[in-house]
Amino acid sequence: MTGYERIMAALDGKKTDILPYIDGFDCHEARLAFFGPQVMSGTWNEIALLEAELFHSDWVIVPVPLNIPGGPGIFCDVLTEDQTHLLVKTFFGGIWYWRKKPYYAKAFYNPVKDIEDLEKIPEPNWEELRKRVKSIKEPIKRLKDRGYFVTMEGKGSFEAAWMLFRGLENTWMDIASEPELVKKMSRRAVDAVIKLALMVVDECEVDGLWITNDMGTQTAAYFSPKSYQELFKENDRRIVQALHSRGKKVMFHSHGNVMSLFEDFVEAGFDSIDPLDAYDGMDFRSIKEKYGKKVTLKGGISCTIGQMKKEDLLKHIQDIVTIGGEERFILSGAGGVPPEMSLENFNAYRDFIYRARRGDYKKT
């Protein structure tokens, strides 16, 4: 099976020849550590292909329509950049800053202070943004020609609102004090994500949209199921419906302990949910038992792999592969390989996953 066939089978609840898998590095700093500055001077698609081949991934995620805070993507305007820093402007006027090493990202300027500001913000120049899609058409085609499952990265109902308009801390407070503002921000932000995603769908051979929507700390969700249902759930459902109407898949990502929201995520209609990290308090075994026949589960490998001893790392992977099983499961890291992982452990990690995907995980 090709990577595309393997991921599609997993999303549709069918058997695969080997365990489907996607992984990579967790940030620009990690890529610099393992690839070096000369490799990192390449184009995004060259780096994406190298990373996919290094990890033997089945799936490649491209940086559109919006992949803040991982990076700006093609729909943001770079204001200034050098070897260590990056400053960009979003299509709604927000300003984001990145420090490349050590990795750090922050919104410098949020364009919305109140509901009047939200209503005054003009629409982006959609036709200008549409022209930028042409720059990724051929790179995506080359990835597809190699047999990869290829998706865009976007933002969901909560992240899109705070990243584009109001900032994280303000939006947290608004959920309690200004819920109507949050509802309007979420709807307008999701409208933009859908519009940009469909631009890419119309022009490129993408297979779907992977949306990130982090909603929790290690102990609990940021808000109650009632708040999610009233403010965000319908907007997540709209993303799913828009992409499904074009025959595309929609995958959902949320870090944090979101056990209390998981039923709502399933009901929103996502084709897969990740990353299911025990470090965040996610009980992968119970999720598999309760939801494993309803939705494809993706992830399992903890974000703490950089601190694990080799024997603990290999046992962790074996446990996750055993729980995930052979159907409706895509193995992947919760955040990817971090810069602090040793080269020895990195090589062991790659080798063990290669064998574990083929059922040969008992040998170390």
Side-chain angles (χ1 to χ4, degrees), residues 2-4 49 137-150 205 207:
T2 65
Y4 168 80
L49 178 59
K137 182 175 182 177
E138 282 305 312
I140 287 176
K141 183 179 187 304
R142 287 194 289 272
L143 291 169
K144 288 295 297 175
D145 288 346
R146 287 176 175 263
Y148 290 109
F149 182 81
V150 180
E205 299 177 40
D207 300 307

Short mmCIF file of all heavy atoms in Angstrom, two decimals, residues 2-4 49 137-150 205 207:
data_model
loop_
_atom_site.label_atom_id
_atom_site.label_comp_id
_atom_site.label_asym_id
_atom_site.label_seq_id
_atom_site.Cartn_x
_atom_site.Cartn_y
_atom_site.Cartn_z
N THR A 2 0.42 2.30 -0.66
CA THR A 2 1.09 3.58 -0.56
C THR A 2 0.70 4.24 0.76
O THR A 2 -0.23 3.80 1.45
CB THR A 2 0.69 4.51 -1.71
OG1 THR A 2 -0.72 4.81 -1.59
CG2 THR A 2 0.97 3.87 -3.06
N GLY A 3 1.42 5.32 1.12
CA GLY A 3 1.05 6.05 2.32
C GLY A 3 -0.38 6.55 2.24
O GLY A 3 -1.14 6.48 3.22
N TYR A 4 -0.76 7.07 1.08
CA TYR A 4 -2.14 7.55 0.89
C TYR A 4 -3.14 6.43 1.14
O TYR A 4 -4.13 6.60 1.88
CB TYR A 4 -2.30 8.10 -0.53
CG TYR A 4 -3.74 8.34 -0.91
CD1 TYR A 4 -4.40 9.49 -0.50
CD2 TYR A 4 -4.45 7.41 -1.67
CE1 TYR A 4 -5.73 9.71 -0.82
CE2 TYR A 4 -5.78 7.62 -2.01
CZ TYR A 4 -6.41 8.77 -1.58
OH TYR A 4 -7.73 8.96 -1.90
N LEU A 49 9.72 16.80 2.47
CA LEU A 49 9.99 15.51 1.83
C LEU A 49 11.11 14.78 2.55
O LEU A 49 11.02 13.57 2.82
CB LEU A 49 10.33 15.70 0.36
CG LEU A 49 10.67 14.43 -0.43
CD1 LEU A 49 9.51 13.44 -0.38
CD2 LEU A 49 11.03 14.78 -1.87
N LYS A 137 1.00 24.52 -5.56
CA LYS A 137 0.36 23.49 -6.38
C LYS A 137 1.33 22.41 -6.82
O LYS A 137 1.09 21.20 -6.65
CB LYS A 137 -0.31 24.14 -7.59
CG LYS A 137 -1.07 23.14 -8.47
CD LYS A 137 -1.81 23.84 -9.59
CE LYS A 137 -2.60 22.84 -10.44
NZ LYS A 137 -3.37 23.53 -11.49
N GLU A 138 2.44 22.79 -7.40
CA GLU A 138 3.41 21.81 -7.91
C GLU A 138 4.11 21.05 -6.78
O GLU A 138 4.27 19.82 -6.88
CB GLU A 138 4.42 22.49 -8.83
CG GLU A 138 3.87 22.78 -10.22
CD GLU A 138 3.32 21.52 -10.89
OE1 GLU A 138 4.01 20.48 -10.89
OE2 GLU A 138 2.19 21.57 -11.40
N PRO A 139 4.56 21.73 -5.71
CA PRO A 139 5.15 20.98 -4.61
C PRO A 139 4.21 19.92 -4.02
O PRO A 139 4.63 18.81 -3.70
CB PRO A 139 5.48 22.06 -3.57
CG PRO A 139 5.70 23.28 -4.38
CD PRO A 139 4.71 23.19 -5.51
N ILE A 140 2.92 20.26 -3.89
CA ILE A 140 1.96 19.29 -3.38
C ILE A 140 1.78 18.14 -4.36
O ILE A 140 1.71 16.97 -3.97
CB ILE A 140 0.61 19.98 -3.07
CG1 ILE A 140 0.75 20.83 -1.81
CG2 ILE A 140 -0.51 18.94 -2.90
CD1 ILE A 140 -0.47 21.64 -1.46
N LYS A 141 1.76 18.46 -5.64
CA LYS A 141 1.62 17.39 -6.64
C LYS A 141 2.80 16.42 -6.57
O LYS A 141 2.63 15.20 -6.69
CB LYS A 141 1.52 17.99 -8.05
CG LYS A 141 1.31 16.94 -9.14
CD LYS A 141 1.19 17.58 -10.51
CE LYS A 141 0.82 16.53 -11.55
NZ LYS A 141 1.76 15.39 -11.59
N ARG A 142 4.00 16.95 -6.34
CA ARG A 142 5.16 16.08 -6.25
C ARG A 142 5.07 15.15 -5.03
O ARG A 142 5.48 13.99 -5.10
CB ARG A 142 6.45 16.92 -6.19
CG ARG A 142 6.81 17.56 -7.54
CD ARG A 142 8.23 18.08 -7.54
NE ARG A 142 8.40 19.25 -6.72
CZ ARG A 142 8.21 20.50 -7.15
NH1 ARG A 142 7.85 20.72 -8.41
NH2 ARG A 142 8.40 21.53 -6.35
N LEU A 143 4.53 15.67 -3.93
CA LEU A 143 4.32 14.82 -2.76
C LEU A 143 3.26 13.75 -3.04
O LEU A 143 3.42 12.59 -2.66
CB LEU A 143 3.90 15.68 -1.56
CG LEU A 143 4.96 16.61 -0.99
CD1 LEU A 143 4.34 17.59 0.00
CD2 LEU A 143 6.08 15.82 -0.32
N LYS A 144 2.20 14.15 -3.72
CA LYS A 144 1.15 13.19 -4.08
C LYS A 144 1.69 12.13 -5.04
O LYS A 144 1.36 10.94 -4.92
CB LYS A 144 -0.04 13.91 -4.71
CG LYS A 144 -0.88 14.72 -3.74
CD LYS A 144 -1.57 13.83 -2.71
CE LYS A 144 -2.54 12.87 -3.39
NZ LYS A 144 -3.12 11.92 -2.40
N ASP A 145 2.51 12.54 -5.98
CA ASP A 145 3.08 11.59 -6.94
C ASP A 145 3.95 10.54 -6.26
O ASP A 145 4.14 9.44 -6.80
CB ASP A 145 3.90 12.33 -8.00
CG ASP A 145 3.04 13.11 -8.98
OD1 ASP A 145 1.81 12.87 -9.01
OD2 ASP A 145 3.58 13.97 -9.70
N ARG A 146 4.48 10.86 -5.10
CA ARG A 146 5.29 9.91 -4.34
C ARG A 146 4.44 9.01 -3.45
O ARG A 146 4.96 8.18 -2.71
CB ARG A 146 6.32 10.65 -3.49
CG ARG A 146 7.47 11.25 -4.31
CD ARG A 146 8.40 12.04 -3.42
NE ARG A 146 9.57 12.52 -4.15
CZ ARG A 146 10.75 11.91 -4.17
NH1 ARG A 146 10.90 10.77 -3.52
NH2 ARG A 146 11.76 12.42 -4.84
N GLY A 147 3.13 9.20 -3.49
CA GLY A 147 2.23 8.30 -2.77
C GLY A 147 1.85 8.72 -1.37
O GLY A 147 1.25 7.94 -0.62
N TYR A 148 2.18 9.96 -0.98
CA TYR A 148 1.85 10.40 0.36
C TYR A 148 0.39 10.83 0.48
O TYR A 148 -0.22 11.31 -0.48
CB TYR A 148 2.74 11.59 0.78
CG TYR A 148 4.18 11.23 1.02
CD1 TYR A 148 5.18 11.62 0.13
CD2 TYR A 148 4.55 10.49 2.13
CE1 TYR A 148 6.51 11.30 0.34
CE2 TYR A 148 5.88 10.15 2.35
CZ TYR A 148 6.85 10.55 1.45
OH TYR A 148 8.17 10.22 1.67
N PHE A 149 -0.15 10.69 1.68
CA PHE A 149 -1.40 11.33 2.07
C PHE A 149 -1.01 12.76 2.44
O PHE A 149 -0.15 12.97 3.30
CB PHE A 149 -2.00 10.59 3.25
CG PHE A 149 -3.34 11.12 3.73
CD1 PHE A 149 -4.51 10.77 3.09
CD2 PHE A 149 -3.41 11.94 4.84
CE1 PHE A 149 -5.74 11.25 3.54
CE2 PHE A 149 -4.61 12.41 5.31
CZ PHE A 149 -5.79 12.06 4.64
N VAL A 150 -1.61 13.76 1.80
CA VAL A 150 -1.18 15.15 1.98
C VAL A 150 -2.35 16.00 2.47
O VAL A 150 -3.42 16.02 1.84
CB VAL A 150 -0.63 15.73 0.66
CG1 VAL A 150 -0.18 17.18 0.86
CG2 VAL A 150 0.53 14.89 0.13
N GLU A 205 -3.99 19.14 -5.06
CA GLU A 205 -4.41 17.75 -4.85
C GLU A 205 -4.29 17.34 -3.38
O GLU A 205 -3.75 16.27 -3.06
CB GLU A 205 -3.56 16.82 -5.72
CG GLU A 205 -3.66 17.07 -7.21
CD GLU A 205 -2.74 16.17 -8.01
OE1 GLU A 205 -2.61 14.98 -7.66
OE2 GLU A 205 -2.12 16.65 -8.97
N ASP A 207 -5.60 16.03 0.34
CA ASP A 207 -6.54 14.99 0.76
C ASP A 207 -7.41 15.43 1.92
O ASP A 207 -8.35 14.71 2.28
CB ASP A 207 -5.77 13.73 1.14
CG ASP A 207 -4.96 13.19 -0.02
OD1 ASP A 207 -5.55 12.98 -1.09
OD2 ASP A 207 -3.73 13.00 0.13
#
